[in-house]
Amino acid sequence: MVNLLDFDLEGLIQWCEARGQKRFRAVQLFRWIHQKGVGDFSLMSDLAKPWRDDLALHAQVKPLSVLSRHDSADGTIKWLFDVGEGNAIETVFIPEDDRATLCVSSQVGCAVGCPFCSTGYQGFSRNLSTAEILAQLWWAEHTLRAERGTTDRVISNVVMMGMGEPLQNMQALLPALHAMLDDHGYGLSRRRVTVSTSGVVSMFDRLAQSAPVALAVSLHAPDDALRDRLVPINRKYPLAELLAACRAYLDHAPRDFLTFEYCMLEGVNDSDQHAQALIDLVLHHPDGPVPCKFNLIPFNPFPQSGMKRSSAQRVKAFAEQLSRAGLVTTVRKTRGDDIDAACGQLAGDVKDRTRVHLRRINAMPSSPQPLVN
Ligand code: SAH
Ligand code: SF4
């Protein structure tokens, strides 16, 4: 049985044509699925009955099953979706005054292994399929529309900042991005879809050619020695290569700058010297300044990281130092704190989490205090 969430419009057209249907039939079907959120073919009233019957026999619109949903006091919503074999992925909805962003996962776990990230700590299980990536958006958008009693768009922005390294799953990512951008799909403009990467330089070109969305690069360190430790893929694609690739991507990017993310880790990457080194790296580059803005993310600790969040004063001073040098700098507000929905806190392996809990329980047989996650 084919899952129709696995296709971008071109893919669906090919599939429909192979079943003897004209192109416009595929467009109709794609609109029913993604624009109206309908997965039941019998409700697709303007499709001919024989075609609906044929669809019911050979295809389905199969969402992910929801393991849990948590609503934060600040309006943030986190879904935990079952992806089989005891694995789960997380998707986070973040409403703000002028937009509503969905943070989407691309892999179960992650192979990059950044030591400050709980997804990295968990290791890599597998890539998500296009259907599993798109199902996160499909579910969130249409569930929220139904709850709000509206047919208007709810989610205005998508960021590929959930679990996983999107550029290590290009095959599934690209059709998912196409469906997000397609006017017959979610119709999001390129500047409202952001791919965040640890710096898989070899894929920048392919992204630029196939789906030139906004790019955010997780920098986290101003020099190779520190970045090798914090973002281990730096050993393969060091800073000089990364910055050259960023510059090249800008020719295709929806805006004339890109975003560098910088996770603020106390005593690790947050000194005045680090800020100055960052300024030198991007502004006093031999090839000229790299057009960029900085987004500082206060570190969200998790038990195994052994690292601490920089103090609010340190983050502020660091931001001011960058701003004074002429770099546009924002500090990310932490959202969904009460439901563990913040960056780097997404932990998907349900079995493993249970095991961790059990280990903790076994380690403290005589102390029945509540387990803190
Ligand atoms: N793999 C991609 C996208 C997912 S992570 C990437 O690394 O860019 C999204 C962002 O959250 C990245 O900038 C990542 O560095 C950051 N992040 C990861 N763990 C974090 C943590 N514990 N606290 C704060 N930010 C974190
Ligand atoms: Fe992977 Fe991104 Fe986490 Fe690094 S920060 S381990 S690249 S998800």
Side-chain angles (χ1 to χ4, degrees), residues 6 127-130 133 166-176 203 206:
D6 247 324
N127 279 325
L128 294 182
S129 64
T130 298
I133 296 173
L167 297 192
Q168 288 187 335
N169 185 13
M170 290 298 273
Q171 203 189 337
L173 175 73
L174 292 176
M203 294 299 156
R206 227 174 123 195

mmCIF file of all heavy atoms in Angstrom, residues 6 127-130 133 166-176 203 206:
data_model
loop_
_atom_site.group_PDB
_atom_site.id
_atom_site.type_symbol
_atom_site.label_atom_id
_atom_site.label_comp_id
_atom_site.label_asym_id
_atom_site.label_seq_id
_atom_site.Cartn_x
_atom_site.Cartn_y
_atom_site.Cartn_z
ATOM 1 N N ASP A 6 4.118 10.290 1.025
ATOM 2 C CA ASP A 6 5.517 10.113 0.624
ATOM 3 C C ASP A 6 5.892 10.891 -0.636
ATOM 4 O O ASP A 6 7.051 10.878 -1.033
ATOM 5 C CB ASP A 6 5.792 8.618 0.375
ATOM 6 C CG ASP A 6 6.754 8.048 1.393
ATOM 7 O OD1 ASP A 6 7.672 8.783 1.804
ATOM 8 O OD2 ASP A 6 6.567 6.900 1.800
ATOM 9 N N ASN A 127 16.909 7.195 9.228
ATOM 10 C CA ASN A 127 16.314 8.348 8.572
ATOM 11 C C ASN A 127 14.791 8.255 8.630
ATOM 12 O O ASN A 127 14.231 7.158 8.589
ATOM 13 C CB ASN A 127 16.720 8.379 7.092
ATOM 14 C CG ASN A 127 18.099 8.967 6.905
ATOM 15 O OD1 ASN A 127 18.496 9.883 7.631
ATOM 16 N ND2 ASN A 127 18.830 8.464 5.918
ATOM 17 N N LEU A 128 14.143 9.403 8.669
ATOM 18 C CA LEU A 128 12.697 9.420 8.474
ATOM 19 C C LEU A 128 12.410 9.409 6.978
ATOM 20 O O LEU A 128 13.214 9.891 6.177
ATOM 21 C CB LEU A 128 12.089 10.683 9.098
ATOM 22 C CG LEU A 128 12.162 10.793 10.616
ATOM 23 C CD1 LEU A 128 11.474 12.083 11.084
ATOM 24 C CD2 LEU A 128 11.496 9.591 11.282
ATOM 25 N N SER A 129 11.249 8.864 6.610
ATOM 26 C CA SER A 129 10.816 8.917 5.214
ATOM 27 C C SER A 129 10.189 10.286 4.947
ATOM 28 O O SER A 129 9.874 11.032 5.888
ATOM 29 C CB SER A 129 9.779 7.828 4.953
ATOM 30 O OG SER A 129 8.630 8.097 5.731
ATOM 31 N N THR A 130 9.975 10.599 3.671
ATOM 32 C CA THR A 130 9.260 11.840 3.329
ATOM 33 C C THR A 130 7.902 11.859 4.036
ATOM 34 O O THR A 130 7.497 12.881 4.601
ATOM 35 C CB THR A 130 9.055 11.927 1.802
ATOM 36 O OG1 THR A 130 10.342 11.975 1.172
ATOM 37 C CG2 THR A 130 8.261 13.160 1.418
ATOM 38 N N ILE A 133 8.236 12.820 7.616
ATOM 39 C CA ILE A 133 8.537 14.249 7.799
ATOM 40 C C ILE A 133 7.272 15.068 7.549
ATOM 41 O O ILE A 133 6.874 15.908 8.368
ATOM 42 C CB ILE A 133 9.682 14.696 6.863
ATOM 43 C CG1 ILE A 133 10.980 13.973 7.212
ATOM 44 C CG2 ILE A 133 9.886 16.216 6.947
ATOM 45 C CD1 ILE A 133 12.134 14.218 6.239
ATOM 46 N N PRO A 166 19.096 17.321 8.997
ATOM 47 C CA PRO A 166 18.313 17.216 7.757
ATOM 48 C C PRO A 166 19.172 16.962 6.519
ATOM 49 O O PRO A 166 18.760 16.219 5.630
ATOM 50 C CB PRO A 166 17.581 18.558 7.663
ATOM 51 C CG PRO A 166 18.105 19.422 8.759
ATOM 52 C CD PRO A 166 18.799 18.559 9.748
ATOM 53 N N LEU A 167 20.356 17.550 6.475
ATOM 54 C CA LEU A 167 21.168 17.398 5.254
ATOM 55 C C LEU A 167 21.852 16.029 5.180
ATOM 56 O O LEU A 167 22.537 15.729 4.222
ATOM 57 C CB LEU A 167 22.204 18.530 5.130
ATOM 58 C CG LEU A 167 21.607 19.935 4.986
ATOM 59 C CD1 LEU A 167 22.691 20.936 4.573
ATOM 60 C CD2 LEU A 167 20.451 20.000 3.994
ATOM 61 N N GLN A 168 21.662 15.191 6.199
ATOM 62 C CA GLN A 168 22.103 13.801 6.074
ATOM 63 C C GLN A 168 20.923 12.897 5.718
ATOM 64 O O GLN A 168 21.016 11.686 5.806
ATOM 65 C CB GLN A 168 22.812 13.324 7.362
ATOM 66 C CG GLN A 168 24.190 13.974 7.483
ATOM 67 C CD GLN A 168 25.030 13.454 8.624
ATOM 68 O OE1 GLN A 168 24.523 12.951 9.615
ATOM 69 N NE2 GLN A 168 26.343 13.605 8.501
ATOM 70 N N ASN A 169 19.825 13.516 5.309
ATOM 71 C CA ASN A 169 18.654 12.749 4.861
ATOM 72 C C ASN A 169 18.010 13.466 3.669
ATOM 73 O O ASN A 169 16.809 13.717 3.633
ATOM 74 C CB ASN A 169 17.657 12.589 6.017
ATOM 75 C CG ASN A 169 16.481 11.708 5.649
ATOM 76 O OD1 ASN A 169 16.509 11.024 4.617
ATOM 77 N ND2 ASN A 169 15.448 11.734 6.462
ATOM 78 N N MET A 170 18.841 13.789 2.686
ATOM 79 C CA MET A 170 18.383 14.598 1.547
ATOM 80 C C MET A 170 17.283 13.934 0.749
ATOM 81 O O MET A 170 16.355 14.570 0.283
ATOM 82 C CB MET A 170 19.565 14.881 0.605
ATOM 83 C CG MET A 170 20.582 15.808 1.164
ATOM 84 S SD MET A 170 19.911 17.450 1.510
ATOM 85 C CE MET A 170 20.110 18.238 -0.066
ATOM 86 N N GLN A 171 17.400 12.636 0.587
ATOM 87 C CA GLN A 171 16.454 11.927 -0.274
ATOM 88 C C GLN A 171 15.014 12.087 0.211
ATOM 89 O O GLN A 171 14.089 12.244 -0.588
ATOM 90 C CB GLN A 171 16.827 10.450 -0.291
ATOM 91 C CG GLN A 171 16.322 9.753 -1.518
ATOM 92 C CD GLN A 171 16.516 8.245 -1.396
ATOM 93 O OE1 GLN A 171 17.367 7.770 -0.630
ATOM 94 N NE2 GLN A 171 15.724 7.501 -2.137
ATOM 95 N N ALA A 172 14.830 12.066 1.506
ATOM 96 C CA ALA A 172 13.487 12.248 2.056
ATOM 97 C C ALA A 172 13.170 13.726 2.259
ATOM 98 O O ALA A 172 12.014 14.149 2.137
ATOM 99 C CB ALA A 172 13.366 11.501 3.384
ATOM 100 N N LEU A 173 14.195 14.502 2.588
ATOM 101 C CA LEU A 173 13.970 15.921 2.899
ATOM 102 C C LEU A 173 13.449 16.698 1.688
ATOM 103 O O LEU A 173 12.497 17.479 1.801
ATOM 104 C CB LEU A 173 15.281 16.554 3.397
ATOM 105 C CG LEU A 173 15.210 18.064 3.653
ATOM 106 C CD1 LEU A 173 14.416 18.353 4.921
ATOM 107 C CD2 LEU A 173 16.613 18.683 3.763
ATOM 108 N N LEU A 174 14.077 16.495 0.530
ATOM 109 C CA LEU A 174 13.760 17.367 -0.615
ATOM 110 C C LEU A 174 12.292 17.283 -1.036
ATOM 111 O O LEU A 174 11.643 18.328 -1.155
ATOM 112 C CB LEU A 174 14.716 17.095 -1.789
ATOM 113 C CG LEU A 174 16.168 17.528 -1.525
ATOM 114 C CD1 LEU A 174 17.077 17.129 -2.687
ATOM 115 C CD2 LEU A 174 16.271 19.028 -1.266
ATOM 116 N N PRO A 175 11.716 16.080 -1.230
ATOM 117 C CA PRO A 175 10.284 16.055 -1.569
ATOM 118 C C PRO A 175 9.414 16.686 -0.474
ATOM 119 O O PRO A 175 8.413 17.342 -0.771
ATOM 120 C CB PRO A 175 9.979 14.557 -1.714
ATOM 121 C CG PRO A 175 11.294 13.911 -1.959
ATOM 122 C CD PRO A 175 12.312 14.736 -1.238
ATOM 123 N N ALA A 176 9.813 16.506 0.787
ATOM 124 C CA ALA A 176 9.030 17.119 1.879
ATOM 125 C C ALA A 176 9.078 18.645 1.754
ATOM 126 O O ALA A 176 8.049 19.325 1.893
ATOM 127 C CB ALA A 176 9.572 16.661 3.230
ATOM 128 N N MET A 203 26.239 18.992 0.802
ATOM 129 C CA MET A 203 24.828 18.991 0.375
ATOM 130 C C MET A 203 24.268 20.389 0.116
ATOM 131 O O MET A 203 23.123 20.529 -0.311
ATOM 132 C CB MET A 203 23.954 18.303 1.437
ATOM 133 C CG MET A 203 24.252 16.841 1.589
ATOM 134 S SD MET A 203 23.935 15.973 0.041
ATOM 135 C CE MET A 203 25.004 14.565 0.240
ATOM 136 N N ARG A 206 23.120 20.925 -3.545
ATOM 137 C CA ARG A 206 21.903 20.190 -3.902
ATOM 138 C C ARG A 206 20.668 20.874 -3.328
ATOM 139 O O ARG A 206 19.634 20.980 -3.984
ATOM 140 C CB ARG A 206 22.000 18.761 -3.356
ATOM 141 C CG ARG A 206 21.608 17.734 -4.377
ATOM 142 C CD ARG A 206 21.848 16.354 -3.839
ATOM 143 N NE ARG A 206 20.620 15.576 -3.855
ATOM 144 C CZ ARG A 206 20.460 14.445 -3.185
ATOM 145 N NH1 ARG A 206 21.442 13.962 -2.440
ATOM 146 N NH2 ARG A 206 19.335 13.782 -3.270
#
